[in-house]
């Protein structure tokens, strides 16, 4: 893993993993550690960003069984994980696929507390740790926010987001993007889409403020037509967002459209159309919103000016870029 300075566009730190290439990365709740799946998906290495080194290694291998760790979900409190695994039994003359398992794993004691067939059902719809770090937050099928106790896995509260706040209001679809980046333990400010109650194929965008103490929506802002496509990224002050849609650099339509929006009023500031190499796409925006980065296939970052979209420089890394870019406080 590398630490990249978006001011100078240089690599300032390299962290060597102990067991080969990464098969998946999870940023832990403290935003100072990563859980990285390595060793052909048998181990999880904890990377300490401040120390710039691997702090610990957790081994999930078993005798006579090929275990592949698919994902890590940290529980509130940070002392346990849900570890989703696939299993293949090694027999004398063949391999035999076993049912997948989810492990409840104690990080401090480095032992499996319980084996389950799957994640608890109540956490199966996009569970996230609450900003105060004490509960699970889960969005149910109706779009409401459930507050779930991590020990009992029982609902302890609900915030109604589905009931219209006024007559004629369309359905709110939260985008799960918190403009506060989890910094406020008592509040979410989430980007959302508003469906048109008459023309259902039409929608607008904006944000809602959710008070986690009062358990209700305290403010709603609707801007009008918003960005389409995929791969949206926020500046550190959440005043700008950049998104892209188009050809991914391949197919019959090779052009990709980059759109920059002002998150204080929802207006599109500018739009560019360009062509990237196959499997390259928008990867990040600088914390101050001054530059956008394109990566993907290959070992290079293409750095563009966010105002003119002129290519500023190309940054070469030691190897092929894998996974996403995380914006952290240092």
């Amino acid at each position: 893993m590398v630490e990249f300075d978006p001011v100078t566009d240089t690599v300032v730190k390299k962290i060597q993993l102990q067991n080969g290439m990464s098969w998946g990365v999870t940023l832990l709740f403290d935003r100072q550690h990563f859980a990285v799946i390595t060793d052909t998906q048998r181990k999880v290495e904890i990377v300490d960003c401040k120390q710039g080194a691997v702090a610990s290694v957790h081994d999930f291998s078993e005798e006579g069984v090929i275990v592949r760790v698919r994902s890590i979900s940290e529980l509130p409190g940070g002392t346990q994980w849900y570890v989703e695994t696939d299993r293949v039994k090694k027999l004398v003359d063949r391999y035999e696929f076993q049912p997948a398992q989810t492990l409840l794993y104690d990080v401090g004691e480095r032992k499996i507390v319980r084996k389950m067939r799957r994640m608890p059902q109540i956490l199966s719809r996009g569970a996230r740790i609450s900003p105060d770090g004490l509960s699970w937050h889960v969005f149910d099928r109706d779009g409401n926010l459930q507050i779930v106790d991590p020990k009992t896995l029982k609902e302890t509260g609900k915030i109604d987001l589905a009931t219209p706040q006024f007559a004629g209001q369309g359905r709110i679809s939260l985008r799960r993007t918190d403009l506060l980046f989890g910094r406020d333990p008592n509040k979410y400010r989430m980007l959302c889409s508003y469906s048109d109650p008459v023309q259902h194929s039409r929608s607008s965008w904006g944000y809602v403020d959710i008070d986690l103490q009062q358990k209700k929506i305290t403010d709603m802002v609707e801007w009008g037509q918003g960005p389409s496509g995929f791969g949206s990224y926020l500046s550190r002050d959440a005043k700008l967002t950049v998104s892209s849609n188009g050809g991914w650099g391949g197919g019959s339509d090779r052009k990709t459209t980059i759109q920059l929006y002002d998150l204080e009023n929802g207006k599109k500031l500018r739009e560019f159309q360009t062509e990237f190499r196959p499997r390259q796409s928008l990867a990040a925006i600088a914390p101050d919103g001054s530059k956008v980065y394109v990566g993907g296939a290959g070992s290079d970052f293409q750095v563009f000016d966010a105002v003119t979209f002129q290519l500023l420089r190309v940054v070469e890394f030691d190897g092929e870029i894998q996974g996403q870019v995380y914006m952290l406080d240092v």
Side-chain angles (χ1 to χ4, degrees), residues 71 73 81-87 99-105 112 114-120:
S71 68
S73 298
W81 301 335
Y82 287 123
V83 183
E84 294 186 285
T85 65
D86 287 339
R87 299 166 53 82
Q101 280 187 348
T102 295
L103 312 175
L104 178 60
Y105 180 77
I112 297 170
R114 186 164 70 251
K115 297 180 179 180
M116 302 169 285
R117 290 191 61 185
R118 60 181 66 87
M119 288 271 285

Side-chain angles (χ1 to χ4, degrees), residues 175 191-195 201-207 221-230 232 241-245 257-263 265-271:
R175 298 190 180 185
L191 288 178
C192 64
S193 298
Y194 298 91
S195 64
S201 61
R202 185 172 64 185
S203 65
S204 58
W205 77 313
Y207 68 80
V221 174
E222 186 174 358
W223 289 321
Q225 185 175 1
S228 59
F230 43 80
S232 295
T241 182
V242 62
S243 63
S244 67
N245 61 64
T257 301
I258 306 294
Q259 299 174 324
L260 193 71
Y261 277 80
D262 187 330
L263 287 177
N265 54 31
K267 293 182 178 179
K268 187 191 327 184
L269 297 175
R270 58 194 68 94
E271 179 178 287

Side-chain angles (χ1 to χ4, degrees), residues 26 37 41 44 68-73 82-85 119:
T26 300
I37 302 171
Q41 299 175 276
V44 175
R68 298 189 178 98
V69 176
R70 295 304 190 189
S71 68
I72 302 291
S73 298
Y82 287 123
V83 183
E84 294 186 285
T85 65
M119 288 271 285

Side-chain angles (χ1 to χ4, degrees), residues 26-67:
T26 300
L27 178 62
L28 300 182
F29 180 77
D30 65 3
R31 298 186 67 83
Q32 295 297 326
H33 295 83
F34 288 99
V36 185
I37 302 171
T38 61
D39 192 24
T40 60
Q41 299 175 276
R42 292 181 294 185
K43 293 184 174 69
V44 175
E45 302 186 29
I46 301 302
V47 174
D48 188 311
C49 298
K50 288 186 176 180
Q51 294 181 5
V54 174
S56 60
V57 179
H58 302 264
D59 191 345
F60 293 90
S61 60
E62 294 181 28
E63 185 69 30
V65 178
I66 299 173
V67 177

Side-chain angles (χ1 to χ4, degrees), residues 41-285:
Q41 299 175 276
R42 292 181 294 185
K43 293 184 174 69
V44 175
E45 302 186 29
I46 301 302
V47 174
D48 188 311
C49 298
K50 288 186 176 180
Q51 294 181 5
V54 174
S56 60
V57 179
H58 302 264
D59 191 345
F60 293 90
S61 60
E62 294 181 28
E63 185 69 30
V65 178
I66 299 173
V67 177
R68 298 189 178 98
V69 176
R70 295 304 190 189
S71 68
I72 302 291
S73 298
E74 181 184 18
L75 273 69
T79 61
Q80 293 182 326
W81 301 335
Y82 287 123
V83 183
E84 294 186 285
T85 65
D86 287 339
R87 299 166 53 82
V88 181
K89 189 174 183 180
K90 294 187 287 186
L91 302 176
V92 174
D93 58 343
R94 69 188 187 279
Y95 293 101
E96 184 178 276
F97 287 93
Q98 302 289 306
Q101 280 187 348
T102 295
L103 312 175
L104 178 60
Y105 180 77
D106 188 289
V107 180
E109 297 186 9
R110 302 194 183 203
K111 72 175 186 180
I112 297 170
V113 177
R114 186 164 70 251
K115 297 180 179 180
M116 302 169 285
R117 290 191 61 185
R118 60 181 66 87
M119 288 271 285
Q121 183 66 29
I122 197 169
L123 304 179
S124 63
R125 293 184 297 276
R128 63 199 292 166
I129 300 176
S130 61
D132 62 10
L134 301 178
S135 305
W136 286 113
H137 281 177
V138 184
F139 294 92
D140 66 17
R141 290 189 177 89
D142 296 323
N144 299 310
L145 192 153
Q146 291 178 286
I147 303 169
V148 177
D149 185 281
K151 293 183 178 180
T152 64
L153 294 177
K154 301 294 185 182
E155 180 184 305
T156 59
K158 179 179 285 189
I159 301 176
D160 185 358
L161 305 178
T163 302
Q165 303 289 303
F166 52 84
Q169 177 192 324
R171 180 180 177 84
I172 300 175
S173 297
L174 293 181
R175 298 190 180 185
R176 311 296 196 263
T177 302
D178 181 14
L179 298 180
L180 304 177
F181 294 98
R183 298 191 199 106
D184 190 332
N186 301 315
K187 179 181 177 181
Y188 282 131
R189 173 166 288 179
M190 286 196 163
L191 288 178
C192 64
S193 298
Y194 298 91
S195 64
D196 190 303
V198 178
Q199 296 188 21
H200 299 293
S201 61
R202 185 172 64 185
S203 65
S204 58
W205 77 313
Y207 68 80
V208 294
D209 283 344
I210 303 173
D211 189 307
L212 300 177
Q213 296 297 309
Q214 300 182 53
K215 295 183 174 60
K216 66 177 184 179
I217 292 176
T218 56
D219 194 17
M220 301 175 58
V221 174
E222 186 174 358
W223 289 321
Q225 185 175 1
S228 59
F230 43 80
S232 295
Y233 300 92
L234 302 178
S235 62
R236 193 69 182 96
D237 58 9
K239 292 182 178 180
L240 296 172
T241 182
V242 62
S243 63
S244 67
N245 61 64
W248 284 72
S252 58
D253 180 10
R254 301 178 65 89
K255 294 289 187 179
T256 297
T257 301
I258 306 294
Q259 299 174 324
L260 193 71
Y261 277 80
D262 187 330
L263 287 177
E264 295 188 314
N265 54 31
K267 293 182 178 179
K268 187 191 327 184
L269 297 175
R270 58 194 68 94
E271 179 178 287
F272 308 96
Q273 197 172 62
T274 189
E275 185 175 317
F276 301 131
R277 295 200 315 263
R279 296 191 297 118
Q280 281 209 316
S281 62
L282 184 67
I285 184 172

